[in-house]
Amino acid sequence: MERTAVNPWNWSIKLGYNQGEVIQGASRQVICAGQTSVDENGAPQHAGDMRGQIALALDNLEAVLEGAGMTLANVVKLGVYATDVDEALKNFDLMGMRFGPHQVTPPMTLLGVSRLALPDLMFEIEATAMA
């Protein structure tokens, strides 16, 4: 698979994502459901702790990708939902720490929402991955 960044402007690169990507040569695609800060039984974890929730949501995303034989390097699109966008952005260094080693900056949308599926959840991330 070959990825070519499309960035008519450079500001988003500093925030860790491309405006678009041209994907060529991909033969498999995985659509990941939104991953949140829940344990293996679906119980919410890290109530009131945005940083803890982002970290666990990323762990859960990586587990889904691993189950499909992929890693964060295969992610080509992210959708992020947060009940407090400012608090999420304060902790977005976690995104860079996870995606940075893979040298990918997938296009991303961050949306503020009034709540997520379970009341204690503050952060959710969904992904599309290709190989």
Side-chain angles (χ1 to χ4, degrees):
M1 176 178 77
E2 182 182 330
R3 302 166 75 133
T4 304
V6 178
N7 288 301
W9 319 276
N10 290 329
W11 61 264
S12 65
I13 297 169
K14 296 173 193 167
L15 297 174
Y17 68 95
N18 289 317
Q19 292 292 319
E21 288 187 343
V22 176
I23 308 296
Q24 294 179 311
S27 61
R28 283 191 321 124
Q29 179 173 306
V30 175
I31 310 295
C32 300
Q35 298 301 308
T36 60
S37 177
V38 296
D39 65 15
E40 64 276 359
N41 298 309
Q45 305 294 304
H46 307 291
D49 176 9
M50 181 67 79
R51 190 165 188 85
Q53 289 203 16
I54 292 172
L56 184 51
L58 287 167
D59 288 347
N60 290 341
L61 176 59
E62 286 190 281
V64 172
L65 291 168
E66 183 179 320
M70 296 187 188
T71 70
L72 292 177
N74 298 100
V75 173
V76 297
K77 174 77 172 97
L78 290 170
V80 177
Y81 307 91
T83 58
D84 184 337
V85 171
D86 292 331
E87 191 63 24
L89 288 171
K90 287 178 191 173
N91 292 285
F92 252 46
D93 62 308
L94 290 172
M95 300 285 283
M97 291 166 60
R98 296 291 186 93
F99 282 90
H102 297 283
Q103 298 181 337
V104 295
T105 49
M108 172 178 46
T109 300
L110 170 59
L111 295 174
V113 296
S114 59
R115 67 163 277 187
L116 295 168
L118 301 172
D120 284 340
L121 297 177
M122 304 182 318
F123 184 87
E124 186 165 343
I125 185 168
E126 60 186 17
T128 301
M130 295 182 160

